[in-house]
Amino acid sequence: MNMDTDVIEYTADAAVVGAGHAGCEAALALARTGLKTILLTLNLDSIGFMPCNPSVGGTAKGHLVREIDALGGEMGLVADKTALQLRMLNVGKGAAVQSLRAQSDKNAYHREMKRVLEHTENLRILQTEVSEVLAEDGRVTGVRTDSGVIACRAVVLCTGVYLNSRTITGSVVKNSGPNGFSNATKLTDSLIKLGFSVRRFKTGTPARLDGRTIDYAACERQDGDADVYPFSFLSERPPANKLPCYLTYTNKKTHEIILENLGRSPLYDGTIQSTGPRYCPSIETKVVRFKDKERHQVFLEPEGEDTLEVYVQGMSTSMPHDVQRAMYASVPGLESADIVRYGYAIEYDCIDTLDVLPTLEYKKVRGLYTAGQINGTSGYEEAAAQGLMAGLNASLALRGKPPLVLRRDEAYIGVLIDDLVTKGTDEPYRMMTSRAEHRIVLRQDNADLRLTEKGYACGLATEERYAAFCRRRALCEELAERLKERIPQKQAAPFLAEYGYDAPSGSPACTELIKRGIPLRDISVRFGLFGEYPADVRQTVEISVLYEGYLKRGLEQIERAKRLEDKRLPEDIDYSAIGGLRLEAREKLQRIRPLSLGQAGRIPGVNPADVSVLMVWLAADRK
């Protein structure tokens, strides 16, 4: 940056580029930790906007939202305030994979997040386009915008799907961001000059329908749950269930319409050549990929209390308009439905996250961080989690404090970021419970017990949040001790008989009953015990008792893995000079430059024998 010729419009500690879910959390993390922050967005109306499904949470994503909240983030609080209904998914499965999901009022979510940002101390919001990231001697100095230069010491790029984006519906291609918003056309060239590897990814969205024209009687109604906890540990009660969702299905006719018009699909006629999401494919991809499947689920989800628009979850498409009309009309309940917004695909630029450190700082430019869909992820929750971590780490660096890098055994956020910076991704990355090898430890219910102290130590979690955490932790510890109380044999015998168990030889402890599969709720009701404890406390302690054996083994595995994580690798190590490493391992290690032996072992192409070679080399080097 040439200070003599550039007009300095504003000076801040940090600038956040983009105000989607990543940008909101990044800006809040910086401002709330005392740093003068400016949030730059193409359009103030797109702050916290939900261009795709109007929901927060879901399988594994609910875990991320609870972790964001536990650290001091905002997404959970806003989701609770603006939810239309709340459901717990996978209730028939183990506690490790149960996930909260809120059907959100998308306009209310945007308004509430914008309100929070506008009333946050140390934070300024500016509508403008960023054209260049400025750096000198390998360090960020600011960003160039339409109206001048923002001078700053840290930049967090949260550009979402706006970089050189174009929307595609049939043969109609527009240079546009999602939902008709303007795209960002100037920044990518600057990123390439800074050394980023840029690629093209794709995502898509279904049509929106006029709710008045849907025959809900032909669909299956799905109401929210009444007895679940909210996303935020600060919310006193779960949100009220205001509106239902509905379930219907595609059928043979739907599939025939799609297959007959496959030649007109941009996905199959060569118009779209970028990589789309494997785990959230378009309806045409699902019909082609799963030819033996007779039908696919279609969820009809209200977009808000102030609109009649209905989101058609499960039927994302970029088919021409006439094909969309025909295929939606073939679905039960949608025969006469009017489309108010057609579905489309969107292509955009993103980066290779192997160029990024576990702090989400760019390896080649100090003070430059990336978060969200620019990192190749999909989903609001994945974006928000990265935004919080990037913003927090930028803040810690500017305050001269050690970074916060969550391990895979500490949080789903740790799994997400480690996957991105260690393995990379060749397609839009989506968080799933199967990616977390320690998921029995990383449950939704204990996110605060795992993370709130960390958020508080970094200055992000507030005194109010920390006090609430301390109260809940104390109650959990107290209840865990009380569950060791014994039930007199005469009272326990008939109770156990109701569950098919023989009379006990002595007076069993409540923990023994729980381990036999008897719900704590039933024990409480029968014997008048523990009713004074909040439901979420009872649930956390019950799960800990029920899965005690699994948790013990899991913690032992974690301790073994930590020993490798604690073995740090020098930043300037020359892997080509280490004898015994295979060629592929040398290339991968040289490319990614892992920070520890643990991270090295998770790199695709690096096997246990290579890690052993590194261990021997490290021991010799230390001597």
Side-chain angles (χ1 to χ4, degrees):
M1 178 171 62
N2 189 336
M3 292 292 188
D4 295 328
T5 58
D6 283 316
V7 177
I8 306 297
E9 179 187 3
Y10 192 72
T11 299
D13 292 314
V16 177
V17 182
H21 302 281
C24 291
E25 295 292 350
L28 289 170
L30 282 156
R32 286 171 171 173
T33 50
L35 296 173
K36 186 179 179 182
T37 306
I38 184 166
L39 177 61
L40 307 167
T41 176
L42 289 167
N43 194 324
L44 293 179
D45 295 331
S46 65
I47 290 175
F49 187 68
M50 295 178 172
C52 198
N53 55 315
S55 68
V56 173
T59 304
K61 295 169 178 282
H63 292 72
L64 290 174
V65 180
R66 293 275 281 182
E67 290 179 353
I68 291 165
D69 183 78
L71 286 164
E74 192 66 25
M75 176 175 262
L77 280 165
V78 177
D80 287 342
K81 291 177 182 177
T82 60
L84 298 175
Q85 66 160 250
L86 194 65
R87 298 183 68 196
M88 185 71 76
L89 307 184
N90 299 325
V91 290
K93 300 181 181 179
V97 297
Q98 293 178 7
S99 299
L100 276 171
R101 183 183 188 275
Q103 190 64 38
S104 297
D105 186 318
K106 67 187 298 179
N107 292 327
Y109 188 99
H110 152 72
R111 290 193 299 270
E112 175 62 15
M113 185 62 80
K114 185 170 182 282
R115 185 195 67 80
V116 170
L117 293 166
E118 289 173 339
H119 289 81
T120 297
E121 190 177 355
N122 302 316
L123 179 59
R124 178 190 172 189
I125 307 170
L126 176 63
Q127 180 171 297
T128 188
E129 181 175 356
V130 174
S131 59
E132 185 179 1
V133 175
L134 304 172
E136 290 180 4
D137 301 323
R139 175 172 287 279
V140 156
T141 58
V143 295
R144 192 185 309 280
T145 74
D146 289 341
S147 51
V149 167
I150 308 295
C152 57
R153 297 181 291 150
V155 172
V156 186
L157 298 176
C158 306
T159 53
V161 298
Y162 286 84
L163 287 184
N164 285 330
S165 57
R166 62 174 194 163
T167 58
I168 306 159
T169 305
S171 60
V172 179
V173 179
K174 297 180 180 180
N175 291 320
S176 168
N179 207 57
F181 287 117
S182 298
N183 59 354
T185 60
K186 304 171 184 176
L187 186 57
T188 296
D189 288 343
S190 171
L191 301 184
I192 293 172
K193 289 177 182 177
L194 290 173
F196 279 105
S197 299
V198 174
R199 70 267 299 271
R200 295 283 282 178
F201 277 0
K202 175 199 80 74
T203 187
T205 189
R208 274 68 163 180
L209 308 178
D210 183 338
R212 296 171 300 178
T213 61
I214 296 173
D215 179 12
Y216 290 114
C219 308
E220 177 185 334
R221 180 173 171 136
Q222 294 193 317
D223 291 303
D225 295 332
D227 57 349
V228 293
Y229 47 75
F231 276 116
S232 178
F233 290 93
L234 290 180
S235 297
E236 294 182 1
R237 61 184 63 85
N241 292 309
K242 300 176 181 178
L243 292 175
C245 296
Y246 291 86
L247 171 65
T248 183
Y249 297 89
T250 63
N251 50 51
K252 183 179 179 180
K253 183 179 178 181
T254 314
H255 300 180
E256 288 175 349
I257 292 169
I258 292 170
L259 292 173
E260 288 170 1
N261 291 278
L262 209 57
R264 300 176 64 197
S265 167
L267 288 170
Y268 295 94
D269 68 4
T271 302
I272 295 175
Q273 296 183 345
S274 51
T275 306
R278 180 197 305 253
Y279 300 103
C280 189
S282 66
I283 185 62
E284 47 264 42
T285 299
K286 286 192 283 189
V287 169
V288 171
R289 185 181 298 171
F290 307 107
K291 293 181 178 179
D292 296 332
K293 197 163 185 177
E294 295 182 355
R295 64 179 189 173
H296 295 279
Q297 288 182 324
V298 178
F299 294 94
L300 305 177
E301 302 174 346
E303 295 228 319
E305 286 189 283
D306 62 348
T307 178
L308 292 169
E309 289 187 60
V310 174
Y311 182 87
V312 190
Q313 171 78 349
M315 288 191 73
S316 172
T317 183
S318 57
M319 282 288 201
H321 291 175
D322 61 307
V323 180
Q324 290 192 36
R325 290 193 294 270
M327 70 182 194
Y328 285 119
S330 70
V331 175
L334 309 185
E335 293 89 347
S336 300
D338 290 336
I339 295 175
V340 295
R341 301 182 199 243
Y342 285 95
Y344 59 85
I346 184 167
E347 291 184 318
Y348 54 95
D349 292 341
C350 57
I351 66 160
D352 184 349
T353 45
L354 295 182
D355 292 329
V356 177
L357 293 167
T359 57
L360 295 180
E361 185 178 27
Y362 181 39
K363 293 176 180 178
K364 298 178 182 179
V365 180
R366 300 296 301 276
L368 178 56
Y369 297 78
T370 58
Q373 286 178 282
I374 189 175
N375 281 346
T377 59
S378 67
Y380 313 141
E381 303 81 5
E382 290 90 340
Q386 293 171 73
L388 183 146
M389 296 304 295
L392 185 53
N393 275 311
S395 169
L396 290 167
L398 293 179
R399 289 183 283 146
K401 295 180 178 293
L404 177 63
V405 176
L406 298 173
R407 300 191 310 270
R408 297 181 71 89
D409 59 85
E410 291 180 313
Y412 269 77
I413 295 175
V415 175
L416 164 66
I417 294 176
D418 183 67
D419 278 352
L420 292 175
V421 304
T422 303
K423 302 175 183 177
T425 182
D426 294 324
E427 60 187 28
Y429 178 101
R430 178 181 179 180
M431 193 70 244
M432 297 181 291
T433 55
S434 59
R435 297 189 191 273
E437 59 270 37
H438 304 294
R439 55 186 171 273
I440 190 62
V441 178
L442 309 180
R443 305 185 311 276
Q444 284 186 138
D445 67 276
N446 67 2
D448 61 332
L449 303 180
R450 293 184 278 115
L451 298 174
T452 297
E453 279 191 304
K454 295 179 184 296
Y456 182 70
C458 292
L460 182 56
T462 61
E463 293 290 344
E464 178 193 6
R465 186 180 291 277
Y466 187 67
F469 154 71
C470 289
R471 288 193 298 271
R472 201 176 100 86
R473 179 176 61 181
L475 288 173
C476 287
E477 292 171 350
E478 180 182 301
L479 179 57
E481 280 299 311
R482 287 198 57 193
L483 287 179
K484 297 176 183 177
E485 295 177 8
R486 296 187 175 275
I487 306 295
Q489 184 184 31
K490 289 185 178 179
Q491 297 178 29
F495 181 62
L496 282 166
E498 294 175 12
Y499 290 89
Y501 291 109
D502 294 333
S505 56
S507 298
C510 294
T511 52
E512 295 175 43
L513 302 182
I514 292 171
K515 288 179 180 179
R516 293 189 184 200
I518 299 175
L520 177 57
R521 179 185 297 178
D522 294 359
I523 299 171
S524 299
V525 172
R526 182 63 168 265
F527 302 109
L529 298 170
F530 319 125
E532 67 272 28
Y533 293 95
D536 66 309
V537 169
R538 294 199 303 270
Q539 182 183 49
T540 294
V541 177
E542 180 180 17
I543 292 171
S544 298
V545 171
L546 187 61
Y547 292 99
E548 183 180 16
Y550 295 104
L551 289 169
K552 183 179 179 181
R553 288 196 292 274
L555 292 174
E556 290 171 352
Q557 293 172 353
I558 289 169
E559 285 302 314
R560 288 196 296 271
K562 280 174 64 176
R563 287 195 283 271
L564 287 178
E565 295 297 329
D566 291 339
K567 295 184 184 297
R568 310 297 287 179
L569 292 168
E571 291 184 10
D572 59 351
I573 185 171
D574 182 5
Y575 291 101
S576 64
I578 300 178
L581 284 177
R582 295 173 307 108
L583 179 60
E584 181 185 13
R586 288 181 181 179
E587 292 175 349
K588 292 292 183 66
L589 291 164
Q590 200 74 23
R591 167 76 171 86
I592 298 172
R593 307 204 65 79
L595 302 183
S596 68
L597 280 176
Q599 186 185 2
R602 294 190 295 274
I603 296 173
V606 177
N607 64 30
D610 298 315
V611 175
S612 297
V613 170
L614 287 176
M615 290 178 71
V616 172
W617 180 90
L618 194 59
D621 184 65
R622 286 175 176 170
K623 288 180 181 179

